Amino acid sequence: MKRQIPLMIVMILGFLFVIHTFVPHKISADFYDWWQEWAKAISPFAVVLGVISLGMVHGTKISRKAPNWQYSLVTVLALVFTAASGFIWGRQEGTPYMWLFKNVQMPMSATMFSLLAFYIASAAYKAFRARSAEATVLLIAAIIVMLGQVPLGMQISRWIPDISTWILNVPNMAAKRAIMIGVGLGMVATSLKILLGIERTYLGGGD
Amino acid sequence: MEKRKMTLVQRMQQLDRRYIYIVIAVAIIIPLLIPFNTKTYVTEPTANIYKKIDSFAGREDKAILMSFNHDASTMPELFPMEVSILRHCFERDVKVFTLCFMPQAAPLVDYAINTAKEGYDVTSGVDYLNFGYRPFALQLPIILGMGEDISNALETDSEGRKIENMEIMENIRNYDDMNLVIDFSGSASIQTWIIYARAKFGANIAAGITAVMVADNYPYLQTGQLVGMLRGLKGAAEYEKLVDIFAAYEDEDYPNGRPYSQEILKEINVPITADKIIYEVTNEDGSVDKISTNAEMKYEYKKARIGMNAQSVAHVMIIVFIIVGNIGYFLTRKNKKLG
């Protein structure tokens, strides 16, 4: 039953949504409105589940003094303090919540993302070697696109931004389209398998 | 044990990554600390968004929606875009709504609005409205619901006020009126807007994305599913320039900004080292006339263009590293062939 009931819910609702997409009848529209209300009511529970799950995982680590349990303590304290600051003082400019966002989250996130520039520079130096004809084409394309992205490219030659745009518009687009069509067909096939109950891995293991 | 001395060619091939990191850090930090003037060339995907928003100027029955789908990590690229577009709307009296489906984006929306509205006489609920954060699970019902009735799909704004009877909502019911959605993200979130708001309701969709996502979104630009695209920091810098030249322009003929013109854009440059907005007009004979204004050139208004200086130098340094590595590679190969 633990598998049959979710399977039935997915199949019935899945086909109802397919019907809704293609049948513009009042019953279909009413069903859609009904679903919207349900979706609004269900979504807050995802947050509750998330907080419970986070608390259980890190709470266990702290109580058992598992390796690196101190990080778990920081995570739990950050969760409690950030949430409390938002609940107590609100989220407006000048509140502790906004201070935390501007002075803790923003610089930390920006720092992590900015490391990309250093990794790209190091990887480009180590990996971009003209070892074969294909690698040479890739290398030249990369240099042109990089120059096309900055004003210097235009100042060197007005052709550089044009060639850069052509690379993005023609060879890049052909490859992207091929991937997207492949992914799209794969999604349709997987969706059908789920609707028909053939694909059941999303239900997880156990009976 | 005696260490074998590396030849210059070997050094060129095996440069310690720490040296690369130092050079890149210096190449980025110095241009950020000491800004210099470079020309920003405006591309068509950026100009198309500008023109679309500008076509709503002063209209009570049109509005735009800005969807913030990113966290602080992608702020350096996306935040200047958001501030520029908000500034454009405030300058040209375009109704603007904001919304986010990520909890991390909620403070970003407030931060962007507070940054952009400084110096403008704009009011929440009249000139702009923040719908606030909605759980990601509600993204689909909200995107689809706004196609029917925005007030019904969202009900309240970020401060919990009923949006139905707000002044800004007059003449704004669904995507027919809120006819441009700009999604800012470092992911593929734009596809949700294209699939549902564009395909089902015909809404105009535009993207403000990080540079690494540009290649992924080109197909949508070519098909016309995206009316325009702000591509990374470059797109943000281009938009900043457009706002300076057109939306922030004031004279007797155009007290609230002038309309977009390709001809004017070609002739004018706006230096970023000045404290006030200065228009440098290049004449046919190559001479340059400077038109000074009293409009303040705040740091927030030129952030992307300053960032582009750093990006330019960093790109050049990466290209230099690639060339050095390849010279080393070819010389090593040649030496091996010679024995």
Side-chain angles (χ1 to χ4, degrees):
Chain A
M1 285 299 274
K2 267 173 89 177
R3 292 177 76 84
Q4 272 89 344
I5 291 173
L7 204 65
M8 289 301 285
I9 293 171
V10 169
M11 284 173 77
I12 293 166
L13 284 173
F15 278 111
L16 281 174
F17 276 103
V18 172
I19 294 165
H20 163 75
T21 308
F22 295 104
V23 183
H25 191 271
K26 192 185 173 300
I27 297 173
S28 171
D30 289 346
F31 158 72
Y32 177 71
D33 290 341
W34 170 81
W35 165 72
Q36 276 196 323
E37 294 306 316
W38 265 98
K40 283 180 194 173
I42 291 168
S43 64
F45 289 97
V47 179
V48 177
L49 278 175
V51 172
I52 292 171
S53 172
L54 195 86
M56 281 169 71
V57 169
H58 291 284
T60 312
K61 271 191 177 180
I62 295 164
S63 63
R64 288 183 186 168
K65 294 264 166 70
N68 298 322
W69 63 274
Q70 296 89 339
Y71 297 122
S72 295
L73 186 65
V74 173
T75 306
V76 173
L77 286 176
L79 172 79
V80 172
F81 189 71
T82 310
S85 66
F87 281 125
I88 297 167
W89 295 288
R91 294 191 292 108
Q92 293 77 26
E93 193 69 42
T95 57
Y97 180 87
M98 203 60 175
W99 186 91
L100 278 172
F101 177 75
K102 279 185 181 174
N103 297 290
V104 181
Q105 198 189 353
M106 249 171 61
M108 283 202 306
S109 302
T111 304
M112 291 305 290
F113 198 65
S114 64
L115 292 178
L116 200 64
F118 298 95
Y119 292 138
I120 286 175
S122 174
Y125 167 72
K126 302 246 183 236
F128 267 157
R129 296 280 193 269
R131 288 193 174 91
S132 62
E134 291 89 344
T136 311
V137 170
L138 186 69
L139 187 70
I140 294 167
I143 289 175
I144 292 172
V145 172
M146 270 198 280
L147 282 175
Q149 283 296 310
V150 291
L152 184 73
M154 185 72 159
Q155 277 151 8
I156 294 170
S157 164
R158 70 180 182 87
W159 292 102
I160 289 178
D162 289 347
I163 299 170
S164 166
T165 307
W166 181 85
I167 291 168
L168 287 166
N169 257 331
V170 182
N172 161 70
M173 188 115 70
K176 285 284 170 202
R177 284 232 167 93
I179 294 167
M180 285 162 82
I181 289 169
V183 170
L185 290 173
M187 280 168 70
V188 171
T190 309
S191 303
L192 273 174
K193 279 167 78 178
I194 291 172
L195 286 182
L196 296 170
I198 300 165
E199 170 66 58
R200 300 180 181 192
T201 47
Y202 67 92
L203 290 169
D207 289 315
Chain B
M1 202 170 74
E2 197 187 331
K3 261 191 175 177
R4 226 181 68 190
K5 216 175 174 186
M6 280 170 84
T7 63
L8 179 68
V9 175
Q10 283 171 324
R11 276 176 198 274
M12 284 169 86
Q13 276 244 76
Q14 294 163 27
L15 197 61
D16 192 320
R17 72 176 65 175
R18 284 171 295 188
Y19 292 120
I20 299 172
Y21 293 165
I22 289 169
V23 171
I24 293 295
V26 171
I28 291 171
I29 292 167
I30 291 178
L32 289 178
L33 293 177
I34 311 162
F36 53 89
N37 291 317
T38 49
K39 221 170 178 185
T40 303
Y41 300 93
V42 178
T43 54
E44 206 185 333
T46 305
N48 285 345
I49 297 182
Y50 183 89
K51 285 188 273 184
K52 190 76 196 168
I53 295 176
D54 216 54
S55 69
F56 298 166
R59 289 185 64 169
E60 286 293 314
D61 59 339
K62 291 287 173 202
I64 70 158
L65 172 68
M66 295 170 70
S67 167
F68 289 59
N69 255 320
H70 65 98
D71 61 9
S73 65
T74 46
M75 263 184 85
E77 281 183 281
L78 303 177
F79 194 71
M81 294 179 192
E82 292 152 357
V83 172
S84 298
I85 290 178
L86 283 166
R87 192 176 153 224
H88 182 189
C89 293
F90 296 155
E91 284 279 2
R92 299 281 287 156
D93 195 16
V94 175
K95 287 180 176 179
V96 56
F97 299 105
T98 53
L99 173 69
C100 67
F101 294 106
M102 285 173 76
Q104 305 97 306
L108 272 175
V109 181
D110 293 329
Y111 191 29
I113 291 172
N114 290 334
T115 305
K117 78 175 183 185
E118 215 174 284
Y120 293 99
D121 184 21
V122 287
T123 313
S124 172
V126 180
D127 306 288
Y128 70 92
L129 187 64
N130 180 15
F131 294 137
Y133 159 68
R134 304 294 148 133
F136 188 76
L138 290 180
Q139 188 185 31
L140 201 52
I142 286 174
I143 290 176
L144 292 169
M146 285 195 296
E148 309 285 341
D149 189 340
I150 298 164
S151 303
N152 196 33
L154 290 157
E155 293 175 9
T156 54
D157 74 345
S158 62
E159 293 166 42
R161 300 175 297 182
K162 268 264 186 216
I163 61 174
E164 198 174 4
N165 300 318
M166 284 188 175
E167 195 178 326
I168 194 169
M169 294 307 293
E170 278 174 31
N171 304 310
I172 306 292
R173 185 174 153 77
N174 51 35
Y175 292 124
D176 291 340
D177 316 308
M178 190 178 69
N179 202 232
L180 178 66
V181 178
I182 312 168
D183 185 70
F184 301 93
S185 85
S187 68
S189 65
I190 190 70
Q191 290 175 12
T192 315
W193 289 101
I194 291 171
I195 293 168
Y196 297 103
R198 170 82 192 164
K200 205 169 159 67
F201 301 102
N204 288 308
I205 311 293
I209 48 174
T210 50
V212 289
M213 291 303 296
V214 168
D216 279 358
N217 287 296
Y218 253 84
Y220 301 117
L221 195 62
Q222 199 199 37
T223 55
Q225 286 164 295
L226 287 179
V227 295
M229 185 158 72
L230 296 180
R231 299 170 295 176
L233 197 62
K234 185 181 188 309
E238 291 171 12
Y239 210 94
E240 280 182 353
K241 184 182 173 181
L242 287 172
V243 174
D244 278 347
I245 292 178
F246 300 111
Y249 183 83
E250 277 177 30
D251 69 6
E252 282 175 2
D253 295 331
Y254 301 109
N256 297 312
R258 59 182 158 186
Y260 176 89
S261 155
Q262 187 67 34
E263 291 308 309
I264 294 172
L265 189 60
K266 269 185 193 168
E267 292 165 3
I268 293 185
N269 197 38
V270 184
I272 54 167
T273 46
D275 296 329
K276 305 276 180 190
I277 294 178
I278 297 170
Y279 300 112
E280 287 181 350
V281 185
T282 309
N283 300 312
E284 280 179 12
D285 59 359
S287 61
V288 177
D289 291 335
K290 283 189 179 181
I291 304 168
S292 300
T293 69
N294 285 325
E296 201 182 342
M297 172 72 102
K298 288 181 188 170
Y299 174 73
E300 284 77 17
Y301 298 169
K302 54 185 178 184
K303 219 173 179 179
R305 282 171 286 181
I306 293 172
M308 274 308 287
N309 289 344
Q311 190 167 308
S312 300
V313 180
H315 278 205
V316 170
M317 290 321 298
I318 291 172
I319 291 167
V320 168
F321 278 126
I322 292 172
I323 292 169
V324 168
N326 275 279
I327 291 170
Y329 170 71
F330 281 111
L331 288 175
T332 310
R333 212 166 68 165
K334 194 182 163 190
N335 290 346
K336 272 184 189 168
K337 272 185 187 170
L338 290 172

